[in-house]
Amino acid sequence: MSVPTTSLPGTMRAWVVARPGPLETRPLRLVELPVPEPGPGELLVRVLACGVCRTDLHVTEGDLPVRRPRVVPGHEVVGEVVAVGPTPERPDARRPAADGTLAVGDRVGVAWLRHTCGECAYCRRGAENLCPRSRYAGWDADGGYAEYTTVPAAFAYRLPEAYDDVDLAPLLCAGIIGYRALRRASLPDGGRLGLYGFGGSAHLTAQVALAQGATLHVLTRGTKAQELARRLGASSARGAYDDPPEPLDAAILFAPVGDLVPVAMRALDRGGVLAVAGIHLSDVPELVYETELFYEKELRSVTSNTRDDGRELLGFAADHPLDVDAHPYPLDRADEALADLKAGAFAGAAVLVP
Ligand SMILES: [Zn+2]
Ligand SMILES: [Zn+2]
């Protein structure tokens, strides 16, 4: 490990998923853990801000199976590199580091995807998001609900300078996944886009789509979310089960509610595409072929993202200032931030600040 610029403490505060279950059973515990050591090719990062994502709620409540007992959640980390792990003995030529020049003092982003194999058929064809050996921050490895975390340098992002730490954090999952979902939805130029659910990811995706010339209709419960949608430029904002004012060329389902799939499919125009953005969705009811699939309507899922998606979104954000609706919480109140997310207490994204 290279010598850090400031001496590091031995331990840190971190939240662990002690026993996955409903939030009411207090599955998260705030504990004292050793500050992690960066392995070969890894960076040790002092967390400056960590976004609270719906996936953290799925990991905490057990909707996603346990992959690492007592994992520290969090995969939207903005942090400062404080140490660099040893150089790997056998550098992998197939996997050029995203940025081999990251050094102590740099501000970096740690996102959901933290490892892919680099050699399977999916990785080789540029679809590393489908790699069967992929690993994820805050699920397979400890993430950012802590004062420090580690990240393989090849999976760390450089960040646009014009944003502060708290505003950058939600871009690292909410922003990136929404960006991929928008691409998966194949919205034609100047097309009509419907967003079902309007939270951390949707409010960023909306701005990307509007900047690209889309007409936007938002379908979501909650007046706060509808107000935010209108303020950001949506042409209409209605209830999640309402009809949009015109047929949609594409739609993205952000709410983890399978019941909305047929609703959104019916709202599509001929040839329209619905992309489901979430990692977890309640069961999809039976679809009616004639009204919900015929005329070449398509239903697509979105699985994680590639590093290219991440770099593209961050590049877009550097050129088009995004209005991030961030709600800061002190690290000690992560459980409260998750409860507020679950309850829909805010429209945008919660961000933990150590
Ligand atoms: Zn692979
Ligand atoms: Zn996420």
Side-chain angles (χ1 to χ4, degrees):
M1 187 160 98
S2 70
V3 182
T5 48
T6 52
S7 62
L8 293 167
T11 62
M12 64 174 188
R13 286 174 304 146
W15 288 89
V16 298
V17 182
R19 190 193 297 167
L23 284 186
E24 302 71 51
T25 65
R26 303 182 57 82
L28 277 184
R29 290 293 148 83
L30 183 60
V31 298
E32 199 77 16
L33 289 181
V35 170
E37 290 245 342
E42 289 186 349
L43 309 171
L44 176 66
V45 171
R46 183 168 65 86
V47 178
L48 302 170
C50 181
V52 175
C53 174
R54 187 165 291 278
T55 300
D56 304 335
L57 192 58
H58 296 320
V59 169
T60 301
E61 296 205 300
D63 298 322
L64 292 177
V66 173
R67 299 253 289 237
R68 172 180 165 81
R70 296 182 71 81
V71 71
V72 177
H75 55 271
E76 295 182 310
V77 179
V78 174
E80 181 194 0
V81 178
V82 291
V84 178
T87 306
E89 273 175 26
R90 200 166 52 81
D92 189 339
R94 282 183 310 271
R95 219 150 7 109
D99 201 326
T101 62
L102 290 171
V104 169
D106 287 344
R107 186 169 74 157
V108 296
V110 180
W112 177 235
L113 186 69
R114 73 167 267 140
H115 171 84
T116 53
C117 78
E119 54 192 26
C120 70
Y122 310 102
C123 281
R124 278 181 313 196
R125 73 170 197 234
E128 66 178 357
N129 60 307
L130 301 179
C131 176
R133 281 177 275 177
S134 56
R135 291 201 289 270
Y136 301 94
W139 193 22
D140 298 287
D142 288 341
Y145 285 28
E147 291 174 293
Y148 294 87
T149 191
T150 60
V151 61
F155 287 79
Y157 294 97
R158 283 197 185 274
L159 298 171
E161 279 173 17
Y163 294 78
D164 66 30
D165 303 331
V166 167
D167 283 352
L168 270 175
L171 298 184
L172 288 161
C173 179
I176 293 172
I177 296 291
Y179 185 80
R180 183 174 182 86
L182 182 59
R183 283 186 34 209
R184 292 280 294 155
S186 298
L187 181 71
D189 278 348
R192 301 155 296 176
L193 175 69
L195 300 183
Y196 287 82
F198 200 76
S201 191
H203 91 286
L204 298 171
T205 311
Q207 295 175 62
V208 175
L210 288 165
Q212 293 174 344
T215 298
L216 181 67
H217 300 293
V218 169
L219 301 124
T220 189
R221 63 173 184 178
T223 49
K224 267 186 222 152
Q226 292 177 0
E227 276 163 27
L228 177 62
R230 285 195 201 91
R231 182 165 68 71
L232 292 174
S235 300
S236 77
R238 300 180 173 181
Y241 290 85
D242 292 343
D243 291 327
E246 58 183 338
L248 305 171
D249 299 302
I252 304 172
L253 176 56
F254 286 102
V257 181
D259 282 344
L260 286 170
V261 169
V263 174
M265 294 302 288
R266 283 196 296 277
L268 291 176
D269 203 349
R270 297 179 177 204
V273 175
L274 172 65
V276 178
I279 189 171
H280 170 79
L281 187 72
S282 58
D283 286 345
V284 179
E286 222 166 65
L287 294 176
V288 179
Y289 186 66
E290 192 182 337
T291 51
E292 293 163 5
L293 280 170
F294 196 59
Y295 294 118
E296 304 198 344
K297 296 181 182 185
E298 287 182 53
L299 172 58
R300 297 180 185 169
S301 66
V302 178
T303 299
S304 182
N305 62 274
T306 65
R307 280 170 285 178
D308 281 345
D309 295 326
R311 288 187 283 260
E312 278 177 35
L313 179 273
L314 292 167
F316 187 92
D319 297 338
H320 304 79
L322 298 177
D323 182 350
V324 183
D325 189 52
H327 300 261
Y329 287 74
L331 176 62
D332 292 355
R333 286 167 53 201
D335 49 353
E336 205 177 305
L338 277 175
D340 287 351
L341 170 68
K342 192 176 178 183
F346 47 76
V351 178
L352 304 178
V353 183

